[in-house]
Amino acid sequence: MVHRPSVPMTQQASSSSPAQAASSPSWSVDNTSTGLSLTLNGEWKALSDELMQFPEAALTAASPKAGQSLLIDPTGLKGWDSGFIMFLWNVKQAAFQASLVFDDRSLPSSAQRLLALLPGKAGHPSPHQDAREGILARIGGTTLDILQEISTSSSLLLDVLRGAFRALRGKSSMRLKDLLVDVWNAGPSALLIVSIVNFLIGAILAFVGLLELRKFAAQIYVTNLVGIASAREISAIMTAIIMAGRTGGAYAARISTMQGNEEIDALQVTGISVAGYILLPSILSLILMMPLLYLYGTLVAIFGGFVVSMTMMDLSPTGYWLSTFNGVELSQFAFGFIKALFFAGFIALAACRIGLKAGRSAADVGIAATRAVVIGIVGVIALDAIFAVLANAVGI
């Protein structure tokens, strides 16, 4: 039995030439001594209106036996493209349903390769599943993610510490040039913005303090207010926030860019420690510079309070500085110095970790930088709250 397109051929029969009709696609299924044979004729083009679907009942109508072969005979095939491959795939599905062995060895090699790219049988769409999870499942998943992140970050910190010990013995892969560049970027390059912010913060503290203390004729205590607040809390927090936005974001963007350029993969393939070569200079430079920036920022904040106080209260410059340093104990500076060390370590480690787990596209660089800034600022404030509780417990 020979099958041709019904409607299109009926329309073309009256206006098409015999040559065009002969090139129209057609197929036939015949019983042979070795099994069923599917004979193909004509041109099979996807843009042609004459392409047809292979009916599922075409093979069962020939009463095949299970395990028989379905041989494809392309002797009359004149031309084909992807439309021909789709037709063959329909034939293959029908042969699978009829328990026949689809034999495509006589097809052109290119057609065999294209047909091999398609799955052996049509897949059925999976039923829709409700994506909503129970609250316990969400809590459990979030907890596992947090524990996994803590474990990964701890391993990264240990790698950095091992790299630092190797650097002390002169066996680290860290280059001195990289360390000096990072020290410059994390320290002297940040002096301007640290100066501006801390000066204004000190001036604001003095201005607000004078307005309130004047009600009680206690303006002289504004020196203690500015000094203690700057040394104990404000300068450490503001300097850390500045470095989280400036240096932490830069670390994350740089490392995520290296991730996208496959530079991190290249280092790992060549056996170079990423923690020692990339992360150690960045983390070490920020840990070295942050406490110094804190001390500098504290002095600038006190100077900002001094400038405002000289314009609003009757006190000599010498009296202001003597009152400040007599009222602020050295332990306050030591407490802020220690906090600055921990802030620096957290900002640098978090930024490097975010950069390492970032994606490889250009958009992921911006996402990594944003996340590093946000996590750095929130983490600094959370750490400061922990230090406040500890300081209260030990009586500092």
Side-chain angles (χ1 to χ4, degrees):
M1 54 181 178
V2 180
H3 297 264
R4 294 184 181 276
S6 55
V7 177
M9 283 300 295
T10 302
Q11 295 176 344
Q12 295 175 2
S14 59
S15 59
S16 300
S17 63
Q20 291 175 332
S23 65
S24 298
S26 64
W27 58 269
S28 63
V29 177
D30 302 301
N31 269 310
T32 64
S33 58
T34 58
L36 296 182
S37 175
L38 175 62
T39 303
L40 303 172
N41 299 291
E43 292 187 359
W44 296 74
K45 303 289 186 179
L47 297 180
S48 173
D49 293 335
E50 299 176 345
L51 284 182
M52 63 195 77
Q53 295 289 329
F54 188 81
E56 296 181 358
L59 297 178
T60 56
S63 302
K65 296 180 180 179
Q68 275 187 319
S69 297
L70 175 62
L71 179 64
I72 308 300
D73 181 10
T75 305
L77 187 64
K78 296 181 180 180
W80 61 276
D81 60 8
S82 59
F84 177 61
I85 302 299
M86 291 304 301
F87 175 80
L88 290 178
W89 192 66
N90 291 331
V91 174
K92 190 174 182 179
Q93 307 312 307
F96 178 80
Q97 295 294 333
S99 301
L100 299 176
V101 178
F102 184 78
D103 188 353
D104 60 350
R105 289 176 295 176
S106 58
L107 289 172
S109 59
S110 56
Q112 294 181 34
R113 290 194 297 269
L114 289 174
L115 190 61
L117 298 176
L118 297 174
K121 60 181 180 178
H124 298 285
S126 57
H128 174 71
Q129 297 180 352
D130 192 354
R132 293 178 297 178
E133 296 180 339
I135 184 172
L136 293 179
R138 292 198 297 270
I139 294 175
T142 303
T143 303
L144 291 177
D145 292 340
I146 294 174
L147 293 176
Q148 178 66 30
E149 188 62 31
I150 292 175
S151 174
T152 304
S153 300
S154 300
S155 299
L156 182 62
L157 178 59
L158 290 177
D159 291 339
V160 172
L161 292 177
R162 282 194 291 265
F165 287 128
R166 286 195 295 268
L168 293 176
R169 294 182 297 173
K171 298 181 180 180
S172 175
S173 56
M174 178 185 67
R175 299 188 304 176
L176 181 60
K177 177 183 177 181
D178 295 334
L179 178 62
L180 294 178
V181 170
D182 286 335
V183 166
W184 175 264
N185 292 330
S189 295
L191 286 177
L192 179 59
I193 186 172
V194 170
S195 301
I196 294 174
V197 172
N198 281 282
F199 178 86
L200 294 176
I201 291 295
I204 293 171
L205 285 175
F207 180 77
V208 175
L210 283 172
L211 291 180
E212 294 300 317
L213 293 175
R214 183 174 294 170
K215 300 176 182 178
F216 308 97
Q219 298 96 317
I220 188 61
Y221 292 107
V222 75
T223 58
N224 294 3
L225 171 65
V226 175
I228 294 175
S230 300
R232 185 183 181 92
E233 297 289 342
I234 301 299
S235 291
I237 294 177
M238 294 308 301
T239 303
I241 290 175
I242 292 170
M243 301 310 290
R246 182 185 180 277
T247 307
Y251 285 172
R254 181 178 66 185
I255 296 175
S256 61
T257 302
M258 296 178 67
Q259 191 82 279
N261 294 337
E262 299 182 353
E263 297 176 45
I264 301 295
D265 297 335
L267 291 174
Q268 293 174 341
V269 168
T270 55
I272 298 176
S273 173
V274 175
Y277 189 76
I278 301 296
L279 306 187
L280 181 58
S282 302
I283 296 176
L284 187 58
S285 61
L286 194 57
I287 290 177
L288 291 175
M289 289 293 102
M290 178 82 85
L292 300 180
L293 288 174
Y294 152 75
L295 293 176
Y296 172 77
T298 302
L299 296 178
V300 172
I302 294 174
F303 180 73
F306 166 76
V307 172
V308 172
S309 299
M310 290 300 98
T311 61
M312 297 183 62
M313 60 184 296
D314 186 15
L315 183 66
S316 66
T318 304
Y320 181 91
W321 289 107
L322 288 176
S323 177
T324 298
F325 289 108
N326 288 333
V328 182
E329 297 179 0
L330 188 60
S331 60
Q332 304 298 329
F333 288 93
F335 182 62
F337 190 90
I338 294 174
K339 287 202 299 184
L341 282 174
F342 280 90
F343 291 165
F346 173 79
I347 293 170
L349 184 64
C352 292
R353 170 59 185 154
I354 291 170
L356 286 176
K357 71 175 184 178
R360 297 180 181 268
S361 66
D364 291 323
V365 176
I367 294 174
T370 302
R371 291 189 62 192
V373 174
V374 173
I375 293 177
I377 293 174
V378 175
V380 163
I381 296 175
L383 281 176
D384 186 71
I386 295 175
F387 273 104
V389 175
L390 294 178
N392 182 66
V394 299
I396 297 179

